[in-house]
Amino acid sequence: VAGRAAGQDLAGLRVVVSAGGTREHLDPVRFLGNASSGLMGWALARAARLRGAEVTLVAANVDRPAPPGVPVTTVTSTADLAAAVTAAAGNADVVVMAAAPADFTPAAASGTKIKKSGDGGLELDLVQTADVLAGLVRARTDPRQVLVGFAAETPDGDADLLELGRAKLARKGCDLLVLNAVGPGLVFGQPDSEITLLTPEGSDGPHAGSKDTLAHIIWDTALSLRSSR
Ligand code: CTP
Ligand code: CA
């Protein structure tokens, strides 16, 4: 991988990586969450540190030891993630949103355990969470700051993967979107993945490999985007 041979090519850069999946509590013991394992975010943080970057990792519900030399801020909900990432992003050169934030949160969480009532079901009233990445794009003051998003899509034939990715890149307004297909046995918790890199200029990939290898490719691309500004 080019990045490994490049040695300390991220030295002097401050980067923020988010990882894992957020949880929205319904009551003190239950939450809405997702299957994100944090592996990709961990690989990104490790790779950036190896290449000399100053790395901040914001982790949502990831049960793994911190990568060596990387401080970890732990968060639970999407609102927590938004606060931690926004604070860290202020003086960051690159922010990579590898976390899978919950998109919906209860309109009102119950302070006590929700009880069953007879044999009735349960309706949940959910509202959308804040879009962290879109907020970073809006709040960007350093024109050289590179903002990277991920998109895990489940193509269903109507719209192909690349089309979904292009639309998301345009909607988010970030500089780079890392696109992958998800589904049973794909991506989540797996050591290997396959990604396509989308920028407003075009696409690169697919690249298949270990998440460590892919992390280096993502940093190569983020670095070249930054250098081109
Ligand atoms: N993201 C974010 N804040 C959210 C939701 C998503 O910052 N509340 C980020 C993710 O970390 C990822 C990118 O946006 O880098 C795309 O996430 P994704 O879930 O694919 O897109 P959404 O905009 O949430 O759209 P949808 O889930 O409806 O496809
Ligand atoms: Ca989402």
Side-chain angles (χ1 to χ4, degrees):
V1 174
R4 285 193 188 133
Q8 300 288 295
D9 59 352
L10 299 180
L13 292 186
R14 272 195 280 258
V15 308
V16 177
V17 176
S18 70
T22 64
R23 293 177 180 177
E24 305 300 322
H25 271 274
L26 305 173
D27 69 16
V29 295
R30 305 187 181 94
F31 54 80
L32 298 171
N34 64 70
S36 175
S37 67
L39 275 176
M40 190 69 235
W42 246 241
L44 283 160
R46 219 168 22 237
R49 185 72 198 101
L50 283 172
R51 290 165 68 163
E54 189 185 309
V55 184
T56 299
L57 184 53
V58 178
N61 310 296
V62 181
D63 186 17
R64 298 177 193 285
V70 175
V72 180
T73 302
T74 59
V75 297
T76 303
S77 67
T78 297
D80 299 341
L81 179 78
V85 169
T86 305
N91 62 359
D93 300 297
V94 184
V95 182
V96 183
M97 286 295 297
D103 292 332
F104 303 99
T105 192
S110 171
T112 54
K113 223 185 124 189
I114 297 169
K115 304 295 279 180
K116 285 188 288 192
S117 135
D119 55 6
L122 175 68
E123 278 188 22
L124 294 173
D125 189 8
L126 305 176
V127 295
Q128 263 192 45
T129 55
D131 190 316
V132 186
L133 182 57
L136 294 176
V137 171
R138 278 196 306 273
R140 170 159 52 186
T141 52
D142 171 7
R144 291 196 70 202
Q145 186 181 55
V146 175
L147 299 174
V148 182
F150 269 71
E153 302 288 353
T154 47
D156 61 2
D158 294 8
D160 84 321
L161 189 64
L162 218 55
E163 224 175 279
L164 291 167
R166 289 239 151 271
K168 187 160 286 182
L169 177 67
R171 184 156 56 72
K172 295 272 178 184
C174 57
D175 306 299
L176 172 63
L177 192 73
V178 181
L179 181 62
N180 49 37
V182 291
L186 284 177
V187 184
F188 287 142
Q190 301 297 311
D192 295 329
S193 188
E194 189 175 285
I195 60 169
T196 299
L197 300 164
L198 298 182
T199 63
E201 282 70 47
S203 69
D204 171 38
H207 297 278
S210 70
K211 288 181 177 175
D212 285 317
T213 299
L214 298 176
H216 281 287
I217 294 173
I218 292 165
W219 288 120
D220 292 343
T221 308
L223 188 59
S224 84
L225 283 173
R226 185 175 167 79
S227 308
S228 71
R229 293 201 181 153

